[in-house]
């Protein structure tokens, strides 16, 4: 039986040639860099996350309190008394926001015009929610970069979620 030559041919066929473009220099990377240079696309590293974010009935506010520090609030509102309302702080750390809603602490992803919470959050985050609602996987896009609009976000009991405290 000639298993060895067949196996050698199969292994050779699986070999993948390295890309001709070095990492970070692909046509897509070049296009994105050109768009950032022209101002068509914002460089997330240079964008201030302050503002109001939304998707459907989900809201997130970020109001600046100092260099890289923000008051943060999240509101999720569903029918039947299910939802979440959380208030606390966020600190910018490159492409992430270190969020602290009391004992509920996690790193959210910041992409310039979008903020995404992780799919799994610490158990303490459930305290901010009623029913089956959760803060997990909150994914909102920028609605406004106005700090005053963000500061106006209120929970169902009319409490400001991003007040100056």
């Amino acid at each position: 039986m000639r298993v060895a030559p067949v196996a050698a041919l199969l292994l050779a066929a699986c070999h993948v040639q390295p890309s001709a473009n070095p990492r970070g220099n692909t046509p897509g990377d070049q296009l994105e860099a050109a768009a950032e240079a022209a101002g068509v696309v914002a460089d997330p590293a240079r964008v201030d996350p302050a503002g109001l974010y939304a998707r459907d009935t989900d809201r997130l506010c970020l109001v600046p309190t100092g260099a890289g520090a923000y008051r943060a609030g999240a509101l999720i509102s569903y029918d039947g008394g299910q939802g979440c309302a959380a208030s606390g702080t966020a600190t910018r750390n490159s492409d992430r926001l270190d969020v602290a809603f009391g004992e509920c602490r996690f790193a959210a992803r910041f992409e310039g015009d979008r903020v995404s919470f992780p799919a799994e959050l610490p158990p303490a985050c459930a305290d901010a929610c009623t029913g089956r609602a959760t803060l997990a996987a909150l994914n909102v896009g920028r609605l406004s970069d106005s700090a005053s609009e963000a500061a106006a976000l209120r929970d169902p009991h009319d409490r400001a979620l991003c007040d100056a405290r």
Side-chain angles (χ1 to χ4, degrees):
M1 202 175 243
R2 299 183 142 184
V3 175
V6 172
L9 286 172
L10 287 173
L11 287 174
C14 291
H15 179 71
V16 177
Q17 292 286 28
S19 173
N21 290 327
R23 185 173 171 89
N25 196 23
T26 65
D29 293 333
Q30 293 171 2
L31 179 61
E32 187 169 345
E36 287 174 2
V40 175
V41 175
D43 178 2
R46 296 182 180 170
V47 174
D48 184 358
L52 183 61
Y53 296 78
R55 180 174 180 196
D56 297 327
T57 59
D58 302 343
R59 301 283 185 268
L60 175 71
C61 56
L62 294 168
V63 175
T65 59
Y70 302 86
R71 292 284 312 142
L75 179 66
I76 297 172
S77 180
Y78 301 120
D79 290 338
Q82 298 192 54
C84 303
S87 184
T89 62
T91 305
R92 173 85 183 263
N93 189 349
S94 185
D95 65 344
R96 76 173 201 251
L97 294 169
D98 294 323
V99 178
F101 294 141
E103 295 299 314
C104 172
R105 297 170 185 271
F106 57 91
R109 184 175 174 97
F110 175 65
E111 299 172 349
D113 63 349
R114 178 160 300 287
V115 176
S116 302
F117 287 8
E120 291 186 35
L121 294 175
C125 297
D127 294 344
C129 301
T130 58
R132 296 185 316 177
T134 179
L135 291 169
L138 176 75
N139 187 355
V140 288
R142 188 184 297 270
L143 189 62
S144 168
D145 61 1
S146 168
S148 62
E149 284 185 50
L153 183 64
R154 298 192 170 283
D155 72 7
H157 303 289
D158 202 34
R159 292 182 296 233
L161 290 174
C162 282
D163 65 353
R165 287 189 195 185

